[in-house]
Amino acid sequence: MKTIVVIDDHKLIREAVCHIFDIMPDTKLLFSASNGFDFICKLNLSKIQPSYVFSDIVMPIMDGIATISYLKRHHPTIRSIAMSNFCNSQLVIDSINAGAQGYILKENLKQKRINEILNCCDRGEIYFDEIIKEIKITPQFDYRNANSFLDINLSEKEALFLELAATGITYAQIAAVMNVSAITVYNYQKSLKEKTGVGSRQELIIFAIQKGIASIARVKYFSK
């Protein structure tokens, strides 16, 4: 039995995708979420980890790229599938480089296609929707495997703070994800500014992306 989570900020689309998994044999929908932050909060409370997460890419607060990257770092056994309304090469590349094991257009999310995705990923392969198979994917170097942030002596907690700070969630929400107090988050921010020599959250975000600690969708603005 494959356990599934669906993340999408559009309520009707989220419910429609959830319904597909509700009626599919051999799959169980654990829960759904409206964005990456909502998902992480629910995941932390769940007694069962999903086998697969089907995540929208363009979302407010915490987008799909950041969510997929978070899963790759902190929950590597959970497989991520990017789903989108957009056949955009940059979104596809960003999704795969963040750790997604598939990319499908929402209009093609049918039972037969979902079974193809799950079977493909079970074989250890990356699934591409038919319409985007011609896009050339060039994997980026995974800076995190090289521990490139160790040259400034970042702790794992500080690296996690940087990763979350690069999303759209607030510092209060970061504290909730990290299960620490607001004062602790403030201290992470203060310490990181001293270590990196930057003066604002925006500069911390740039630093996090440059070091490979954070991933965000480089194509940010679309009409839903």
Side-chain angles (χ1 to χ4, degrees):
M1 178 71 69
K2 294 179 175 65
T3 49
I4 310 293
V5 168
V6 174
I7 310 173
D8 198 300
D9 62 307
H10 193 290
K11 185 174 184 291
L12 292 179
I13 293 176
R14 185 170 68 248
E15 290 177 348
V17 177
C18 287
H19 178 68
I20 296 173
F21 288 111
D22 277 334
I23 64 176
M24 281 182 64
D26 301 320
T27 64
K28 179 182 179 180
L29 180 71
L30 292 182
F31 59 85
S32 64
S34 58
N35 56 66
F37 171 69
D38 183 32
F39 161 71
I40 292 172
C41 291
K42 290 179 178 178
L43 180 66
N44 289 341
L45 294 175
S46 177
K47 295 180 179 179
I48 303 174
Q49 284 206 339
S51 309
Y52 287 89
V53 170
F54 282 70
S55 178
D56 187 14
I57 293 303
V58 181
M59 298 183 291
I61 303 178
M62 185 171 181
D63 70 25
I65 302 299
T67 304
I68 290 167
S69 179
Y70 178 90
L71 283 174
K72 181 182 178 183
R73 179 193 282 270
H74 304 287
H75 299 277
T77 61
I78 300 176
R79 293 169 173 170
S80 302
I81 307 298
M83 55 183 191
S84 179
N85 290 322
F86 308 105
C87 180
N88 178 279
S89 60
Q90 192 63 68
L91 285 179
V92 177
I93 292 169
D94 283 347
S95 299
I96 301 306
N97 284 332
Q101 291 188 259
Y103 191 105
I104 185 168
L105 297 180
K106 292 181 187 180
E107 64 191 46
N108 293 330
L109 276 168
K110 306 292 189 299
Q111 282 195 42
K112 181 180 178 181
R113 191 64 64 85
I114 289 173
N115 279 323
E116 291 176 2
I117 295 172
L118 298 179
N119 291 334
C120 180
C121 292
D122 284 345
R123 295 193 300 268
E125 301 170 3
I126 295 177
Y127 180 90
F128 294 101
D129 208 332
E130 291 291 336
I131 196 170
I132 57 178
K133 281 187 175 179
E134 298 304 315
I135 295 176
K136 184 178 180 181
I137 305 298
T138 305
Q140 296 173 331
F141 177 71
D142 192 342
Y143 295 97
R144 289 168 296 186
N145 288 339
N147 291 323
S148 63
F149 55 84
L150 294 181
D151 59 344
I152 57 169
N153 298 315
L154 294 193
S155 68
E156 286 296 323
K157 288 287 189 179
E158 288 173 330
L160 175 57
F161 169 81
L162 271 178
E163 180 182 1
L164 296 172
T167 72
I169 67 177
T170 65
Y171 282 163
Q173 290 169 327
I174 290 175
V177 171
M178 296 183 68
N179 195 28
V180 297
S181 69
I183 293 175
T184 300
V185 166
Y186 172 78
N187 288 334
Y188 286 145
Q189 175 191 239
K190 182 179 178 182
S191 173
L192 283 165
K193 286 181 178 179
E194 292 173 353
K195 288 182 178 181
T196 61
V198 305
S200 67
R201 179 171 181 171
Q202 289 73 21
E203 290 174 320
L204 281 176
I205 291 171
I206 293 170
F207 174 85
I209 294 170
Q210 288 174 335
K211 288 294 185 180
I213 297 170
S215 297
I216 59 173
R218 284 175 284 174
V219 182
K220 296 291 288 185
Y221 302 103
F222 294 89
S223 296
K224 279 271 187 179

